[in-house]
Amino acid sequence: MISSQPKWNSRQVHNHLLKRYSVRPEALTWYQTDFTGIWFGCFESDDLVQDHPVTMLTRFDPGGFFPLHGHPGGEEILVLQGNFTDETGVYPPGSYMLNPEKFNHRPYSQEGCLTFVKLRQHGGESRQQIKTNIYSLPWQPSIIPTIEVKPLYQQAGFSEKVSIERWHPGTVLSLVVESEVKEIFVLEGTWSDELGDYPAGSWLRYPPNCPYTPSSIEGCTVYVKTYPTDTTRFIVGADFQHPLQNCRLGGGFA
């Protein structure tokens, strides 16, 4: 990679939960990191909040790796391309993991990989660890006949819900108004609303009480996460400790 690429430092990116945002893949800035063969493309960050949440793509060049580290506030990973590997196994495309805050690992990728990652948004010592593959899960019907769903995460005591949705070609909804924050990451096809079209690799966030008109003419598959605005997304347990060999990613998150 060329060395003229910008270097990642923690910053404010799309940090207001009550604002509507969208990022298409061609608009995403890739940042070099201090870790061998690792690049960040950030959708959301706020360095003014202690233990702040981050939503991003992480790209591993072949042989790219992180040293041993833990995750205050936990982490959520969806493997998009290539094989993501750590001490617990090799995870091919479609692998979904929610690792609680006491989980430590040394991730790497021999051939390179691309992952969708959410950091410091899954705190709480009773958080369940989830490991599955979205391609092995069955589709379930939703209340809308042209939309099917694969639930990934919902746990008593925590407000977040995570799922995969498949929108059949020609699906159009009129004036949707969310009661919670809704995040979308487009995995396949094109998601659209009244402001434009969003191909695979796009990230969107809709705030509550903001009417919009989602559709998919060709059909699409999307990652969906919902949570209320008063959710404390970055709870870090008081007894959290990084392992002795740790990494601090960009001066403020790990």
Side-chain angles (χ1 to χ4, degrees):
M1 296 291 180
I2 59 175
S3 59
S4 61
Q5 287 291 108
K7 206 68 176 290
W8 171 258
N9 290 296
S10 297
R11 63 199 70 198
Q12 289 186 298
V13 180
H14 302 146
N15 57 309
H16 297 292
L17 285 183
L18 297 181
K19 291 187 178 181
R20 178 174 174 170
Y21 296 111
S22 64
V23 181
R24 294 179 177 86
E26 68 272 14
L28 189 67
T29 299
W30 285 99
Y31 296 92
Q32 286 185 322
T33 74
D34 294 327
F35 307 103
T36 301
I38 303 294
W39 300 75
F40 291 160
C42 185
F43 296 122
E44 169 197 26
S45 176
D46 188 353
D47 62 347
L48 298 184
V49 177
Q50 183 180 7
D51 300 316
H52 64 282
V54 180
T55 300
M56 64 184 180
L57 295 181
T58 299
R59 190 175 75 209
F60 290 67
D61 289 340
F65 68 92
F66 286 108
L68 177 67
H69 65 279
H71 285 283
E75 69 170 350
E76 190 177 355
I77 301 171
L78 179 58
V79 181
L80 305 175
Q81 300 172 9
N83 288 330
F84 173 93
T85 305
D86 64 15
E87 298 90 326
T88 65
V90 178
Y91 299 94
S95 297
Y96 173 81
M97 292 159 276
L98 194 155
N99 293 318
E101 62 182 41
K102 290 187 177 181
F103 180 78
N104 301 325
H105 64 165
R106 295 182 180 88
Y108 66 94
S109 182
Q110 291 183 343
E111 71 271 36
C113 69
L114 181 68
T115 60
F116 176 73
V117 179
K118 297 180 76 67
L119 298 176
R120 295 193 172 184
Q121 299 174 50
H122 312 90
E125 294 185 1
S126 62
R127 183 85 65 169
Q128 296 173 355
Q129 185 175 46
I130 305 294
K131 290 187 178 183
T132 189
N133 192 294
I134 64 173
Y135 299 126
S136 64
L137 298 174
W139 289 108
Q140 301 178 18
S142 75
I143 60 174
I144 300 170
T146 57
I147 299 175
E148 297 169 292
V149 64
K150 295 182 179 185
L152 294 179
Y153 177 77
Q154 183 175 355
Q155 182 179 347
F158 298 96
S159 57
E160 306 93 339
K161 300 180 182 69
V162 183
S163 63
I164 302 297
E165 291 185 3
R166 180 168 67 185
W167 288 46
H168 293 192
T171 300
V172 179
L173 305 184
S174 297
L175 291 179
V176 174
V177 179
E178 303 294 347
S179 60
E180 299 183 318
V181 179
K182 184 172 187 174
E183 291 190 39
I184 299 287
F185 182 73
V186 184
L187 299 172
E188 298 174 357
T190 300
W191 166 280
S192 301
D193 61 25
E194 72 281 5
L195 299 183
D197 300 320
Y198 308 95
S202 299
W203 175 84
L204 305 96
R205 191 169 70 210
Y206 297 98
N209 305 314
C210 174
Y212 67 105
T213 303
S215 64
S216 186
I217 302 306
E218 67 181 65
C220 66
T221 304
V222 295
Y223 160 101
V224 180
K225 185 166 193 173
T226 61
Y227 48 89
T229 56
D230 61 356
T231 295
T232 304
R233 295 190 296 156
F234 28 89
I235 302 170
V236 177
D239 61 346
F240 177 82
Q241 294 183 352
H242 282 283
L244 292 177
Q245 180 190 359
N246 66 72
C247 66
R248 301 292 295 172
L249 306 189
F253 64 92

